[in-house]
Amino acid sequence: MNISNCAKDPTLDYEFELLTKAPLVIGLDEVGRGAIAGPVAVGAQVFTPDAGEIPAGLRDSKLLTEKRREAVAPLLDVWGAGSVAFGAAAEIDANGITEMLGRTARAALIMLHAAGIPVQHAVILLDGKHDWLSPQLNSPLTVVTRVGADRACATVAAASVRAKVQRDRFMIAAAKDFPHYAWESNKGYGSKAHFAGIATHGLTELHRKTWIRMP
């Protein structure tokens, strides 16, 4: 199922539609797909009918400043259960980004299952047109895709904020060990400073080596 929606402020309208088919909805979203260094991250946010109102200030992570994301993130834990999993750069090189999105999402769902969330009964909501999760599952789940879900659907927006905050923290910490690539500002994406660091100091174990195309 693919539905387009360009709304800026997320709602729970679609989640409540999905709750007519299942007792809970789990929104998933990825961050770091296009970076040239660091992991890909997949966030998950659980929504149940008793969760309450959307946390104040929640939007797709790309529409929030770093300061606003850090302010919203603690509210998500109060709103409902969630998780974030990482897929390492070396695994992305070995398996490709699409497979690693699915593997990483599966890992995020396993975290929720370990915390007592009945993942097997949920509807899983993905942003976009492509279901990159189902091919990596050992047991089938109900997966729905929706174009623009990161902006239109509060669970997916929340998942994106969770993933972005955790991945940014990872890259800022990594910048202390690898100070030549400006990861504290570019978060592993291909900025001018990042490429300059590669040209001078070469690649690290956090670089996606098959992705590097020097400008």
Side-chain angles (χ1 to χ4, degrees):
M1 184 184 305
N2 297 297
I3 302 174
S4 181
N5 192 309
C6 298
K8 259 192 172 183
D9 295 312
T11 72
L12 290 167
D13 294 347
Y14 191 51
E15 283 88 341
F16 277 111
E17 287 184 38
L18 296 178
L19 286 176
T20 65
K21 307 172 186 177
L24 69 160
V25 175
I26 302 175
L28 295 179
D29 202 19
E30 56 77 21
V31 170
R33 180 198 296 251
I36 61 172
V40 68
V42 175
Q45 181 73 38
V46 177
F47 179 70
T48 56
D50 60 350
E53 294 184 358
I54 299 169
L58 176 63
R59 279 186 162 192
D60 173 27
S61 63
K62 295 184 291 294
L63 301 178
L64 297 175
T65 65
E66 186 169 350
K67 183 178 179 181
R68 287 299 304 150
R69 289 192 297 267
E70 288 284 353
V72 169
L75 305 180
L76 302 178
D77 290 325
V78 178
W79 192 42
S83 63
V84 177
F86 290 156
E91 294 180 278
I92 295 170
D93 280 334
N95 300 296
I97 187 63
T98 301
E99 180 171 329
M100 285 311 302
L101 287 174
R103 287 191 184 190
T104 307
R106 183 183 66 192
L109 293 174
I110 289 172
M111 291 178 188
L112 293 178
H113 178 74
I117 303 299
V119 173
Q120 69 274 19
H121 300 307
V123 173
I124 312 298
L125 176 56
L126 300 181
D127 177 48
K129 293 188 289 186
H130 179 56
D131 175 8
W132 34 259
L133 171 61
S134 292
Q136 303 305 322
L137 295 174
N138 296 324
S139 300
L141 296 173
T142 302
V143 179
V144 173
T145 62
R146 182 181 173 97
V147 174
D150 53 354
R151 298 193 179 197
C153 302
T155 58
V156 180
S160 76
V161 171
R162 283 185 181 274
K164 178 64 173 168
V165 167
Q166 293 298 322
R167 188 181 184 279
D168 281 1
R169 290 174 182 173
F170 178 95
M171 295 308 297
I172 290 168
K176 296 176 182 177
D177 295 324
F178 302 99
H180 305 298
Y181 306 95
W183 290 342
E184 68 280 0
S185 58
N186 63 52
K187 309 303 191 294
Y189 286 85
S191 70
K192 183 177 179 180
H194 192 169
F195 281 117
I198 293 172
T200 303
H201 300 280
L203 302 178
T204 71
E205 68 260 29
L206 292 182
H207 279 101
R208 304 176 190 177
K209 296 176 176 58
T210 59
W211 289 47
I212 307 300
R213 300 290 184 272
M214 294 299 290

